[in-house]
Amino acid sequence: MKIHEKYLRRCLQIGSKALGLAAPNPMVGAVIVCDGAIIGEGYTSAFGGPHAEVNALNSVSDKGLLKRATLYVSLEPCCHQGKTPPCTNVIIASGIPRVVVGIRDPNPKVAGMGITQLQEAGIEVIEGILQGECRQHHRRFLTAQEQGRPYIILKWAESRDGFIAPENEARDKDAKPFWISGSLSRRLVHKWRTEEMAILVGTQTAVADNPALSARAWEGRNPYRLLIDRNLRVPAASKLLDHSTPTAVFHEQANPPEAKENLSYVALNSGKAIPKQIASWAQKQGLNSIIVEGGAQTLNLFISTDLWDEARIFQGPSLLKNGIKAPEIKGRLIAETHLEHDRLQILRND
């Protein structure tokens, strides 16, 4: 089993290269081993492209070695026709005799049937290797499949004395961000934006900061922008409404503006919890992860409804002495690090 764990960990390592690329597909990693040597590797291509197993098989230069090789894969191979043919068909056709699977795919179109197809074709299947690590790796995909909602990450920066921003009257008249964290932390946030499918802010943040919510400081795609603006107070000239990136505005008004290119309006039911409505809408759009960037009122909406999976909290070195209090949250601390003068804590909602 130790040797299986070794190669499954390699699957997770290379599968991470698909983060922000493969979604809403899972970021699967696959490794092919023959006579104790890795002869092929692959990870999930951008959405619509070949899956990890196919990329790994295609990377093997001497196909004759496949007859006595083992395929390691972090998630059960798919067995249904989607944008690409079933991976099980390709694996069976390759003649590979053994497949080691990290975890089963809970997608009803797979759900053990991929493993069954391989076994019925005479392939030995070993499963349940590094299940905890594989579930952690595939947490976005699994949350979408098992809970029917996106994986939700809360993110904010707070001062050393626990404020997320100064009072509005203490800010400049021009709408622009008030920075608590340093430049390295802000660049990391842009990296995170390329890794998640959507990003969400509320009215106050949109009005006070006029953010673009882009990933301009890191190479990668911009996330789908989500804005809670119940009374449609955000000015039409704001960066969030510039049509540059797909954007959805959640509101409670009877006569919203007409949808335009990259800009749509989604009505909220005032009698129901807003976070759950947004999560339900996002799931239907295929957005399997959301990073919620604020402000405090928006973050507290998700905390109060217990609709969050992870919180990433920066603490800067400055003292504001007064202002808007940072959210209070309880979770299990899973990581802590320092970036220049900032401290970053990551909590998990278990």
Side-chain angles (χ1 to χ4, degrees):
M1 285 302 174
K2 292 295 183 182
I3 196 68
H4 293 332
E5 292 178 1
K6 171 185 174 180
Y7 292 120
L8 249 301
R9 285 200 173 92
R10 177 59 182 164
C11 288
L12 300 181
Q13 185 180 39
I14 62 173
S16 295
K17 294 181 179 181
L19 180 58
L21 175 72
N25 283 342
M27 50 180 190
V28 178
V31 171
I32 300 174
V33 178
C34 181
D35 299 333
I38 294 176
I39 61 171
E41 292 183 335
Y43 57 89
T44 311
S45 303
F47 184 62
H51 292 184
E53 301 94 319
V54 175
N55 286 332
L57 287 165
N58 288 340
S59 75
V60 177
S61 57
D62 184 355
K63 297 297 193 288
L65 296 176
L66 293 175
K67 301 297 182 181
R68 62 177 194 273
T70 299
L71 168 66
Y72 291 84
V73 61
S74 60
L75 186 72
E76 176 183 8
C78 69
C79 56
H80 63 285
Q81 177 70 46
K83 291 184 176 294
T84 60
C87 288
T88 49
N89 290 1
V90 180
I91 295 169
I92 292 167
S94 75
I96 206 160
R98 183 184 303 104
V99 176
V100 179
V101 175
I103 56 173
R104 292 196 174 200
D105 185 342
N107 184 336
K109 295 179 179 179
V110 186
M113 291 184 286
I115 289 173
T116 298
Q117 282 191 13
L118 296 177
Q119 291 172 329
E120 289 178 346
I123 296 174
E124 178 190 2
V125 179
I126 300 170
E127 58 176 310
I129 308 298
L130 293 184
Q131 290 188 75
E133 292 181 37
C134 288
R135 286 193 63 85
Q136 167 65 12
H137 175 84
H138 288 298
R139 59 192 182 277
R140 296 166 179 82
F141 176 75
L142 295 177
T143 299
Q145 293 295 323
E146 296 173 349
Q147 300 186 43
R149 64 166 179 82
Y151 187 84
I152 296 174
I153 301 166
L154 310 182
K155 180 245 113 183
W156 72 86
E158 61 183 53
S159 64
R160 191 154 53 89
D161 51 354
F163 295 97
I164 198 171
E167 296 290 355
N168 291 336
E169 55 268 21
R171 301 184 63 158
D172 294 339
K173 292 183 179 180
D174 294 334
K176 61 182 181 181
F178 178 88
W179 298 116
I180 291 176
S181 57
S183 59
L184 187 59
S185 297
R186 297 199 293 272
R187 191 169 184 222
L188 176 59
V189 169
H190 281 236
K191 176 179 182 291
W192 289 344
R193 290 176 179 178
T194 69
E195 296 172 351
E196 310 307 333
M197 296 198 71
I199 185 169
L200 181 146
V201 296
T203 305
Q204 185 57 40
T205 296
V207 171
D209 295 354
N210 191 23
L213 299 184
S214 67
R216 57 196 176 277
W218 197 268
E219 184 178 353
R221 67 181 182 186
N222 290 326
Y224 200 120
R225 301 183 300 195
L226 310 179
L227 168 64
I228 302 176
D229 188 16
R230 297 188 222 190
N231 299 312
L232 297 177
R233 293 196 297 111
V234 175
S238 297
K239 294 176 182 177
L240 279 178
L241 307 180
D242 65 3
H243 310 285
S244 66
T245 303
T247 304
V249 180
F250 296 87
H251 67 91
E252 296 177 353
Q253 299 304 297
N255 298 300
E258 290 186 7
K260 297 181 180 179
E261 181 183 5
N262 281 340
L263 182 60
S264 59
Y265 292 85
V266 182
L268 292 170
N269 185 331
S270 59
K272 296 182 179 180
I274 289 176
K276 292 182 179 179
Q277 293 182 69
I278 293 174
S280 176
W281 177 89
Q283 177 77 358
K284 293 174 183 176
Q285 307 306 309
L287 303 174
N288 68 4
S289 66
I290 300 174
I291 185 164
V292 181
E293 288 209 4
Q297 183 177 348
T298 300
L299 289 161
N300 281 321
L301 274 177
F302 283 82
I303 294 170
S304 64
T305 54
D306 198 33
L307 193 59
W308 65 279
D309 299 285
E310 194 175 311
R312 302 173 181 177
I313 307 165
F314 292 99
Q315 185 183 75
S318 62
L319 295 172
L320 292 186
K321 297 183 180 179
N322 56 55
I324 300 172
K325 290 289 292 182
E328 295 184 4
I329 193 168
K330 293 182 179 179
R332 178 170 60 90
L333 180 67
I334 62 169
E336 182 171 346
T337 189
H338 286 81
L339 297 92
E340 297 176 324
H341 302 295
D342 300 334
R343 180 180 70 171
L344 170 62
Q345 291 184 315
I346 300 180
L347 308 179
R348 184 72 44 77
N349 186 7
D350 293 333

